[in-house]
Amino acid sequence: MFTRRAALISAAATALMLATPAFAASDLKLPRQKVELVAPPFVHAHEQATTQGPKIVEFRMTVEEKKVVIDDKGTTFQAMTFNGSMPGPLMVVHEGDYVELTLVNPATNTMPHNIDFHSATGALGGGELTLINPGEQVVLRWKATKTGVFVYHCAPGGPMIPWHVVSGMNGAVMVLPREGLNDGKGHALKYDKVYYIGEQDMYVPRDEKGNFKSYESPGEAFTDTEEVMKKLIPTHVVFNGKVGALTGKNALTAKVGENVLIVHSQANRDSRPHLIGGHGDYVWETGKFGNAPEVGLETWFIRGGSAGAALYKFQQPGIYAYVTHNLIEAADLGATAHFKVEGKWNDDLMMQVKAPAEIPAATN
């Protein structure tokens, strides 16, 4: 059983912290902007392009360990999260800005935690400088030098890394070019809405009767969960924390004619997003806005440990299923979201010429 102080900050990380001079607020003569993060699939307010100079963008995230229900059968899961959601919030800045994160690990938690930004440079993406025990907090600042969408996740060391990641401790950062997105040929691209979909593979142990087991704390679940994880066969693959999190009354909304940017991350396994009835008009498959987007894709590929982005203009009303096109994972394990699109139907794009009817008798 883990306790609050069961794992101490490593000697190497401690030495690095002591050797690194702390920045005073006055070291950077830049304006500051404090941002209140919101839970996915929604994204905090931001400008798509900016003519202002770089600034320090202040974020605050609290680690929350909690038991959650992940399917309609009532299966419980000992989640570890950033800000209480799976995935953690999407952070948006512009190239050249500084991200200043206050990471809080409340005393009510049981585990040490940290954060590794794939978008940052040095010190294991910040992981070496942010490892904190329950009852502690830390402030990290890093410069956004690369544009694109990038994963962040907890990385406390050894087997704790994959366990914390598949327990929910992952999210994404979007670093926009200062002039905004473009089509790779110099033409500006705008989005009317942006949604963040975080794909999560889960490994829930079963008892001798095949029923999913429930645990009272993350530490209690670790040994059994580790055995399931080593088989590399997830029991659930879900979007935004649970089966049905983005379907039904929680479906994502849009209107015909709107450009919607879909940010999709998978911190652990490969994924193949597909919008049934739609396409990726412009797709940054590797998630990096410095590269020209691919166009007109039916399905795109998200490498494990990365994020991608796709821009689509909806042209027909109705319900669009957004899935990982491993359809077993989509239909059986939970990796499905819905877009509910309002607007007028266009018969030129699709129409039912004849309704289903009995096959006519053969004529000579």
Side-chain angles (χ1 to χ4, degrees):
M1 175 72 70
F2 289 92
T3 64
R4 291 183 187 175
R5 308 299 293 183
L8 299 175
I9 297 174
S10 69
T14 303
L16 183 56
M17 287 180 182
L18 293 174
T20 304
F23 284 101
S26 60
D27 289 338
L28 291 176
K29 305 297 185 181
L30 295 175
R32 288 178 169 268
Q33 178 186 8
K34 184 175 292 186
V35 172
E36 294 295 328
L37 292 167
V38 299
F42 305 107
V43 181
H44 65 81
H46 61 274
E47 294 181 324
Q48 295 185 41
T50 180
T51 57
Q52 298 178 355
K55 57 181 176 292
I56 300 170
V57 186
E58 300 177 6
F59 299 99
R60 182 182 180 89
M61 284 204 306
T62 300
V63 176
E64 186 176 347
E65 301 171 2
K66 62 180 182 178
K67 183 186 288 189
V68 297
V69 176
I70 60 172
D71 60 27
D72 56 6
K73 299 176 182 177
T75 302
T76 60
F77 181 72
Q78 281 291 341
M80 293 181 273
T81 71
F82 291 108
N83 259 29
S85 66
M86 292 187 287
L90 181 71
M91 304 179 194
V92 184
V93 298
H94 288 89
E95 182 181 14
D97 287 345
Y98 289 82
V99 173
E100 188 169 286
L101 172 70
T102 299
L103 184 65
V104 181
N105 191 0
T108 51
N109 286 339
T110 61
M111 300 280 175
H113 297 286
N114 67 352
I115 190 164
D116 167 7
F117 286 100
H118 287 196
S119 43
T121 302
L124 299 180
E128 285 192 345
L129 302 176
T130 56
L131 190 60
I132 48 176
N133 286 301
E136 298 174 341
Q137 70 177 42
V138 65
V139 181
L140 177 75
R141 188 163 74 208
W142 55 271
K143 187 175 183 178
T145 60
K146 306 289 185 182
T147 63
V149 285
F150 304 80
V151 162
Y152 65 77
H153 61 86
C154 191
M160 297 293 105
I161 298 174
W163 179 42
H164 284 221
V165 170
V166 302
S167 294
M169 296 199 76
N170 57 86
V173 172
M174 180 161 68
V175 181
L176 292 167
R178 302 198 74 78
E179 67 277 10
L181 301 180
N182 71 81
D183 65 358
K185 300 177 182 178
H187 303 116
L189 296 173
K190 300 286 187 180
Y191 49 88
D192 299 298
K193 289 184 176 180
V194 54
Y195 291 116
Y196 172 36
I197 297 176
E199 186 175 331
Q200 184 79 35
D201 47 317
M202 298 174 173
Y203 303 81
V204 183
R206 298 178 186 267
D207 61 22
E208 60 279 0
K209 295 182 179 179
N211 299 316
F212 289 121
K213 298 176 70 173
S214 180
Y215 300 87
E216 294 306 313
S217 70
E220 183 184 345
F222 173 67
T223 301
D224 291 347
T225 303
E226 179 81 350
E227 289 305 308
V228 181
M229 287 166 51
K230 287 178 179 178
K231 295 179 174 64
L232 303 179
I233 302 174
T235 57
H236 299 73
V237 180
V238 301
F239 293 155
N240 290 36
K242 63 180 293 186
V243 176
L246 301 177
T247 62
K249 67 179 182 179
N250 299 317
L252 308 173
T253 61
K255 295 179 180 178
V256 169
E258 284 189 326
N259 285 299
V260 177
L261 184 69
I262 305 168
V263 176
H264 187 124
S265 69
Q266 224 302 5
N268 196 55
R269 299 170 75 242
D270 296 342
S271 182
R272 301 186 288 280
H274 174 79
L275 181 64
I276 300 176
H279 302 87
D281 290 340
Y282 297 94
V283 180
W284 295 267
E285 193 175 66
T286 62
K288 307 305 168 272
F289 298 140
N291 301 329
E294 294 195 71
V295 297
L297 297 192
E298 57 182 313
T299 300
W300 44 102
F301 183 64
I302 304 297
R303 296 148 179 81
S306 73
L311 184 66
Y312 180 62
K313 178 184 284 187
F314 284 96
Q315 300 183 53
Q316 295 277 44
I319 301 295
Y320 292 72
Y322 179 89
V323 302
T324 176
H325 216 288
N326 178 330
L327 295 177
I328 301 165
E329 295 180 352
D332 294 342
L333 300 187
T336 296
H338 287 160
F339 283 88
K340 184 178 180 181
V341 181
E342 297 179 348
K344 185 178 180 180
W345 184 264
N346 183 349
D347 281 343
D348 186 52
L349 291 175
M350 180 183 289
M351 67 176 293
Q352 185 183 62
V353 178
K354 292 184 178 181
E358 186 175 339
I359 301 172
T363 58
N364 294 327

